[in-house]
Amino acid sequence: MATILDAPPDDIQKNIDLLNNDLDAHLPSKEIDKNLLIATWNIRAFGNYIRKWKSEEEDSPKRDMHSILCIAAIIKRFDVIAVQEVKANIRGLRDVMKLLGSHWSLILTDVTKGSSGNGERMAFIFDTRRVNLSGLACELVVPKEWLKGDISKNALEEQFVRTPYAVSFKSCSQTFILVTLHIKYGKKSSERIQELKGIAQWLSDWAGDMNAYHQNLITLGDFNIDERGDLLDKTFLSEGLFVPDALQDPLITRSIFNETKYYDQIAWFNNNSNVPNLSMDFLRAGNFDFLSTALRNRNLSKRSISFMLSDHYPLWTEFRIT
């Protein structure tokens, strides 16, 4: 049986080369001691996969070794990436780590139990040549006393179906906390307000505490915001969080199926009188549209690609760290 570290067939290698060229053209390069690339990616049902170079119609799951090569090639371009929808079975994640090499590491949550949790984990994957853990890892829980106003007491049973996960990192002289989340989608957008508002208030309180671990707080992940506008304004922006203009550009799409969807976000505090500003200088941000190159030699539908790669594009930010 072939392994993920074997040389792939020629047509697959040519496709990976094409993907790498596309990544070169659309993403910033890593510059030693100068920049930091932080990303988020909801990788659809990232769990088991079929150990064939190309899955066939009758195979389940549809994700195959070619897909895993593509996922690894994309992740490799970032210094640290938050990944949502990692499943209980981590065969795919484990083999991505093999491809990335010994200087890559990860930290992840246990599986979220219950039907709403969908058997998911959240993970951070990071290049240890550029980023290291700095000591803090925790889950976010809103105190009972805060459950008032926009966050009703009845929300206690529903909020944080997949508990947000915060981990601190260090790169050069900069330390920063990344908080990743995957908001429950629910039946309508109004159902997400309580979770989003609760997380935003928690982050604001934490960032404003001068005795906190440190003040560079960035939240990122799948916010499950359908469209630009009210939902983000009522929750994160109203609590002083900031989404850079580059990520609010309508051209920066999140979904491979619908360019109006605004699911994934990266946000932090900026020009807020109660919260210290980010000490890292923001440079630029964007997404990576893999549809034009990844798996292109396979003549697959978008639906098939969504199960083999994802229905979400990766979202990224670049910071100066000198």
Side-chain angles (χ1 to χ4, degrees), residues 15-191:
N15 180 251
I16 298 300
D17 292 342
L18 185 69
L19 174 60
N20 281 324
N21 289 337
D22 197 29
L23 286 160
D24 286 341
H26 291 97
L27 294 180
S29 299
K30 295 183 182 183
E31 298 182 63
I32 296 174
D33 296 339
K34 289 185 177 180
N35 69 345
L36 177 68
L37 296 169
I38 297 173
T40 182
W41 193 11
N42 181 325
I43 303 179
R44 186 173 192 175
F46 190 26
N48 198 7
Y49 77 100
I50 194 81
R51 280 183 169 155
K52 296 179 180 178
W53 286 114
K54 296 179 182 180
S55 59
E56 300 173 71
E57 187 66 30
E58 67 276 10
D59 286 330
S60 180
K62 289 292 186 288
R63 186 169 280 133
D64 54 25
M65 292 167 67
H66 186 185
S67 310
I68 294 296
L69 288 181
C70 291
I71 290 169
I74 293 169
I75 288 175
K76 192 174 186 177
R77 296 306 176 110
F78 307 110
D79 295 317
V80 56
I81 180 168
V83 179
Q84 300 85 46
E85 282 202 37
V86 177
K87 305 296 281 185
N89 184 319
I90 60 168
R91 171 184 275 186
L93 176 60
R94 188 173 62 240
D95 279 6
V96 162
M97 297 305 296
K98 289 178 184 177
L99 288 166
L100 293 173
S102 59
H103 54 271
W104 283 80
S105 190
L106 81 160
I107 184 169
L108 73 166
T109 65
D110 198 359
V111 177
T112 303
K113 302 292 185 181
S115 58
S116 297
N118 198 31
E120 295 179 19
R121 308 171 188 265
M122 289 187 282
F124 290 103
I125 302 172
F126 54 99
D127 184 345
T128 60
R129 297 170 302 180
R130 310 250 306 162
V131 172
N132 282 286
L133 298 173
S134 63
L136 176 70
C138 65
E139 293 183 325
L140 274 59
V141 178
V142 171
K144 183 178 179 180
E145 292 79 8
W146 289 13
L147 299 178
K148 58 185 178 180
D150 290 322
I151 313 170
S152 70
K153 291 188 176 181
N154 293 331
L156 187 59
E157 296 180 0
E158 290 294 329
Q159 67 169 328
F160 301 174
V161 167
R162 293 175 285 252
T163 307
Y165 188 45
V167 175
S168 64
F169 296 91
K170 184 172 183 179
S171 181
C172 294
S173 61
Q174 292 286 353
T175 55
F176 54 96
I177 299 172
L178 299 183
V179 184
T180 184
L181 55 132
H182 187 189
I183 297 299
K184 180 183 177 181
Y185 190 77
K187 295 180 180 178
K188 53 187 178 180
S189 62
S190 60
E191 293 180 6

Side-chain angles (χ1 to χ4, degrees), residues 180-251:
T180 184
L181 55 132
H182 187 189
I183 297 299
K184 180 183 177 181
Y185 190 77
K187 295 180 180 178
K188 53 187 178 180
S189 62
S190 60
E191 293 180 6
R192 289 159 234 158
I193 289 178
Q194 290 175 333
E195 263 200 292
L196 287 165
K197 188 79 171 177
I199 292 168
Q201 288 181 358
W202 199 104
L203 290 171
S204 178
D205 183 75
W206 193 14
D209 181 359
M210 295 309 295
N211 295 316
Y213 188 78
H214 47 64
Q215 304 302 329
N216 274 329
L217 260 178
I218 300 172
T219 185
L220 69 176
D222 183 355
F223 291 26
N224 264 321
I225 294 174
D226 277 331
E227 298 177 358
R228 292 159 172 80
D230 288 349
L231 186 57
L232 188 65
D233 294 344
K234 289 177 183 177
T235 55
F236 271 59
L237 301 187
S238 66
E239 293 300 321
L241 279 149
F242 166 79
V243 176
D245 291 343
L247 292 182
Q248 298 196 55
D249 188 325
L251 296 177

Side-chain angles (χ1 to χ4, degrees), residues 253-259 261 263-264 311-313:
T253 55
R254 275 73 164 169
S255 167
I256 73 170
F257 295 116
N258 188 332
E259 64 184 22
K261 299 302 182 185
Y263 299 137
D264 308 281
D311 50 344
H312 291 243
Y313 295 124

